[in-house]
Amino acid sequence: MGRYSRLGNNLYTGQRSIDFVGRKWLWYAVSALIVGIAVAGLLVKGLNYGIEFTGGTQVRVSLENSQVTQKNADDLREAVAAAGVEGATNPSVTTSGDSAILVQVEELGAAEAATVSEVIMTTLAVTPDQLSQDKIGASWGDQVRNRAILGLVVFVVLVLLLIWAYFRQWKMSLAAMVALAHDVVITVGVYALSGFEVTPATVTGVLTILGFSLYDTVVVFDKVRENTKNLRQSRRSYAQAANLALNQTLVRSINTSLVALIPVGAILYVGAVQLGASSLKDLALALFVGMAAGTYSSVFIATPLLVHMKANESEIVLAERRAKARARRAADKYAAVPSFTEDMPILDEDGDDVPAADFADDDVEGPVAPTRPSSPEALGRGRVAPTQARPVGESPAAGRPQPSRQPRSKRNKK
């Protein structure tokens, strides 16, 4: 068995444990710092909305199949950006199938549009008949934004109801929503800091990470529910049982995230480095950041926050007291031996009260005084029976009158 497999087995069985819940304030501080940076980037730099949201000018260049290449698209992007036309300093140039190249810039006047068209014809050696220019309004982008917000609201409401119906705990729903908001804010903040354009592909990526983040959180919560189903029998506090659930699902969460992040990272590299301006990089960046943040929040935010919110519940408080008492007894078994009194309560080996009915005799009417069960440590004390020399057989004297010893004053008297 490899070292990684042994580590996963030890984490699952509890032989090794990482204290996620006990260090919740550290994770809160780290998350607050990351979210603060994301919000600052969003407020200071803002989002770079694409032409679909702001409106602009799109030029379609019809070409032969052999000319529709990424090299021509990159050359055209550099030429348009270097033309010095205001509104075309950061053009979006992509291939459209195998028959055209699309050039998207901000809304231009007639003179600026003519300059851009001249640069395109010079760079690709095409005629004016091969160019077609369209105006893109911002109304379609407004519709996409409104639909995205509506979809997000519907998603959040359905998730709240689903988690509450499945776990029967509204605090789990609230913790999952806080983790989800954490992931969305970080993703949007990274988008603002990176300067990537917000396109319809970005909206698709953000909506996708909501489901991925929630899936990981639900898996962890399901293990938490399993471990905390019967705290009295588990002999753990709620925090200890929840922390065990995190350790048991940690390897699975890491493996799932790596399997998802590696191909998304490859798509991000190809879209941002190899292809330049492409909708692939917009989608991949949202997916990559959202998946990484979702894995982090499900382990470091959602479960510690759930334990934090449930800390004042009466059942959780009693389980915590029992766990602390067991820890003290385990440290020194003879440090807290009480003196005997007639009204001393009967306790089991865990320190819990034992009802008197458990020691009552069913054949005797009325209550019977409970008797304290003998502990294994008390066996063998006091008088010790001699070792048996041979098996004890049936006595031949059975059935005959047995002699009895009389007092000296009555001996030899009739």
Side-chain angles (χ1 to χ4, degrees):
M1 183 184 294
R3 181 180 300 179
Y4 187 69
S5 299
R6 288 196 300 270
L7 175 61
N9 181 71
N10 292 339
L11 290 174
Y12 192 88
T13 57
Q15 297 178 13
R16 294 187 63 179
S17 179
I18 303 174
D19 191 7
F20 295 106
V21 174
R23 299 175 181 175
K24 59 180 179 294
W25 292 110
L26 174 61
W27 315 135
Y28 293 166
V30 172
S31 296
L33 177 62
I34 297 175
V35 171
I37 295 174
V39 172
L42 184 62
L43 296 177
V44 174
K45 195 170 183 180
L47 292 173
N48 181 22
Y49 289 101
I51 190 175
E52 295 88 354
F53 294 96
T54 60
T57 302
Q58 176 176 284
V59 180
R60 179 184 179 90
V61 186
S62 299
L63 299 169
E64 297 180 357
N65 295 347
S66 59
Q67 293 181 295
V68 182
T69 62
Q70 187 59 42
K71 181 180 182 306
N72 285 338
D74 294 338
D75 294 342
L76 185 57
R77 182 186 309 108
E78 295 175 0
V80 173
V85 177
E86 186 178 356
T89 56
N90 187 24
S92 174
V93 182
T94 58
T95 58
S96 177
D98 56 359
S99 61
I101 293 180
L102 298 180
V103 180
Q104 295 178 339
V105 294
E106 297 179 10
E107 189 171 356
L108 303 176
E112 290 83 359
T115 302
V116 171
S117 299
E118 185 67 27
V119 171
I120 294 174
M121 289 186 291
T122 303
T123 304
L124 298 180
V126 296
T127 62
D129 296 338
Q130 295 177 268
L131 302 183
S132 61
Q133 190 177 113
D134 299 316
K135 295 290 185 179
I136 300 177
S139 58
W140 185 77
D142 293 337
Q143 294 179 5
V144 173
R145 182 167 50 249
N146 295 335
R147 294 294 177 86
I149 295 174
L150 177 61
L152 179 62
V153 173
V154 172
F155 177 84
V156 169
V157 172
L158 292 178
V159 164
L160 284 171
L161 295 176
L162 178 62
I163 296 180
W164 176 84
Y166 183 69
F167 293 108
R168 298 289 180 175
Q169 296 185 27
W170 65 268
K171 291 182 180 179
M172 282 190 171
S173 298
L174 182 58
M177 289 301 100
V178 171
L180 200 62
H182 168 274
D183 302 341
V184 173
V185 171
I186 291 178
T187 304
V188 175
V190 169
Y191 239 91
L193 293 173
S194 65
F196 279 32
E197 285 189 352
V198 178
T199 63
T202 306
V203 177
T204 303
V206 171
L207 293 178
T208 302
I209 65 172
L210 299 179
F212 184 89
S213 174
L214 186 66
Y215 167 75
D216 208 22
T217 302
V218 168
V219 169
V220 177
F221 279 0
D222 192 59
K223 196 63 180 178
V224 171
R225 183 181 64 171
E226 178 182 341
N227 289 354
T228 59
K229 193 172 184 179
N230 195 332
L231 288 177
R232 195 180 189 88
Q233 292 183 358
S234 67
R235 303 182 65 181
R236 294 186 178 94
S237 66
Y238 190 90
Q240 292 171 342
N243 193 75
L244 177 61
L246 283 174
N247 284 271
Q248 290 174 330
T249 56
L250 179 62
V251 173
R252 177 204 164 279
S253 298
I254 293 176
N255 291 338
T256 304
S257 300
L258 287 178
V259 170
L261 288 175
I262 289 175
V264 172
I267 295 174
L268 178 60
Y269 173 79
V270 171
V273 178
Q274 300 294 328
L275 300 181
S278 172
S279 58
L280 282 178
K281 68 180 181 61
D282 303 329
L283 175 63
L285 180 63
L287 291 177
F288 190 88
V289 176
M291 288 180 178
T295 303
Y296 171 84
S297 65
S298 63
V299 176
F300 296 95
I301 299 299
T303 305
L305 181 60
L306 173 65
V307 175
H308 193 180
M309 290 190 296
K310 292 177 70 67
N312 294 327
E313 295 183 5
S314 57
E315 182 181 358
I316 308 303
V317 172
L318 292 177
E320 184 72 24
R321 291 177 180 175
R322 289 195 297 266
K324 289 182 179 179
R326 294 189 190 100
R328 287 194 298 268
R329 288 197 300 272
D332 188 355
K333 296 181 179 180
Y334 305 103
V337 179
S339 58
F340 176 78
T341 57
E342 293 295 337
D343 59 346
M344 177 181 291
I346 301 175
L347 305 177
D348 61 9
E349 60 180 3
D350 294 333
D352 299 328
D353 292 339
V354 179
D358 293 349
F359 303 100
D361 191 351
D362 296 337
D363 298 331
V364 181
E365 296 183 357
V368 177
T371 58
R372 183 176 301 278
S374 60
S375 62
E377 298 178 355
L379 298 178
R381 296 181 179 181
R383 300 179 61 183
V384 180
T387 306
Q388 234 176 313
R390 60 180 181 275
V392 179
E394 192 174 336
S395 174
R400 296 185 302 175
Q402 302 296 318
S404 62
R405 184 178 180 86
Q406 295 181 345
R408 182 178 298 181
S409 60
K410 294 185 179 182
R411 295 176 186 174
N412 300 325
K413 292 184 179 181
K414 295 185 179 178

